[in-house]
Amino acid sequence: MKSLTSQLPDLHLELPTWVADYLSKASEQTETPEQRMAFVVSLARMNIQHGSGGPFAAAVFRLDTHALVAPGVNLVVSSRCSVAHAEIMALTLAEQVVGSHDLGTTGLPGYELVTSCEPCTMCLGAIVWSGIRQIICGAQETDASEIGFDEGPKPLQWVSDLQQRGITIIQDIQRAEARQVLQDYAKQGGMIYNGRPRTS
């Protein structure tokens, strides 16, 4: 065991440097759901342009002031990590910023996750445990599967399941723009990294 432990690499998941540069220059308004989604969709598009990951982005905002807490972009291929989805990155960074593993804990203002595409199976589970109180989605999961991404075996009633847990779901905000990012990624030959055929 000792020799194995000495061979294990350190694990670091970091946003690309262009994200910090972009945030330092960004002047986007975030008062409305449409404005917050426009910010997230622009992150997804830039993630493609910079070649740093897949066509997905997300961000955590405060529910009361709509201030940005943490952005996230998809880093699956570049980080060699299948869980480095945009939602996971945004939630993990937000929890570090806030200083709690539970964004719904007493004393915190309440947070929402804005994501360029409806969550996959994995991210759906992470959202449940994160304490997020609201999700705003752009593209639908069918828009992602249309270009070959496998979104996993999600319950058909996932929206009502989350609503029963006190999580508000708002769908199809700037869906056309978010879907276009997916389409552009496919047209440019972007890697569909989990599109393996299903076995019967």
Side-chain angles (χ1 to χ4, degrees), residues 146-161:
E146 182 181 20
I147 65 167
F149 280 105
D150 182 356
E151 298 298 277
K154 256 168 57 174
L156 292 176
Q157 71 281 4
W158 69 272
V159 171
S160 61
D161 286 348

Side-chain angles (χ1 to χ4, degrees), residues 53-88:
F56 305 100
V60 174
F61 294 88
R62 283 181 57 141
L63 270 173
D64 54 359
T65 65
H66 308 305
L68 175 67
V69 178
V73 293
N74 178 284
L75 300 175
V76 167
V77 175
S78 60
S79 67
R80 299 181 300 280
C81 180
S82 62
V83 301
H85 287 203
E87 296 95 326
I88 300 294

Side-chain angles (χ1 to χ4, degrees), residues 15 38 47 53-54 68 102 119 121 125 140 144 150 162 170 191 194 197-198:
L15 291 178
N47 204 37
L68 175 67
D102 182 0
T121 299
Q140 294 185 2
D150 182 356
L162 292 190
I170 302 172
M191 181 186 292
N194 68 350
R198 296 176 185 158

Side-chain angles (χ1 to χ4, degrees), residues 94-110:
E95 288 162 359
Q96 297 304 301
V97 168
V98 170
S100 174
H101 67 282
D102 182 0
L103 297 175
T105 195
T106 303
L108 292 180

Side-chain angles (χ1 to χ4, degrees), residues 30-173:
T30 58
E31 284 80 14
T32 68
E34 290 77 15
Q35 290 170 334
R36 297 193 291 284
M37 183 60 71
F39 169 77
V40 166
V41 169
S42 69
L43 283 178
R45 185 170 297 284
M46 291 182 71
N47 204 37
I48 299 172
Q49 293 171 355
H50 286 274
S52 44
F56 305 100
V60 174
F61 294 88
R62 283 181 57 141
L63 270 173
D64 54 359
T65 65
H66 308 305
L68 175 67
V69 178
V73 293
N74 178 284
L75 300 175
V76 167
V77 175
S78 60
S79 67
R80 299 181 300 280
C81 180
S82 62
V83 301
H85 287 203
E87 296 95 326
I88 300 294
M89 296 298 296
L91 290 171
T92 302
L93 285 170
E95 288 162 359
Q96 297 304 301
V97 168
V98 170
S100 174
H101 67 282
D102 182 0
L103 297 175
T105 195
T106 303
L108 292 180
Y111 299 94
E112 72 173 357
L113 177 70
V114 180
T115 180
S116 64
C117 187
E118 291 176 346
C120 70
T121 299
M122 176 183 69
C123 294
L124 187 63
I127 287 166
V128 168
W129 304 130
S130 70
I132 284 289
R133 306 298 351 134
Q134 178 166 282
I135 307 169
I136 298 179
C137 306
Q140 294 185 2
E141 73 173 275
T142 53
D143 300 325
S145 60
E146 182 181 20
I147 65 167
F149 280 105
D150 182 356
E151 298 298 277
K154 256 168 57 174
L156 292 176
Q157 71 281 4
W158 69 272
V159 171
S160 61
D161 286 348
L162 292 190
Q163 288 172 336
Q164 288 175 14
R165 291 176 173 267
I167 302 171
T168 301
I169 313 294
I170 302 172
Q171 297 170 284
D172 296 335
I173 299 297

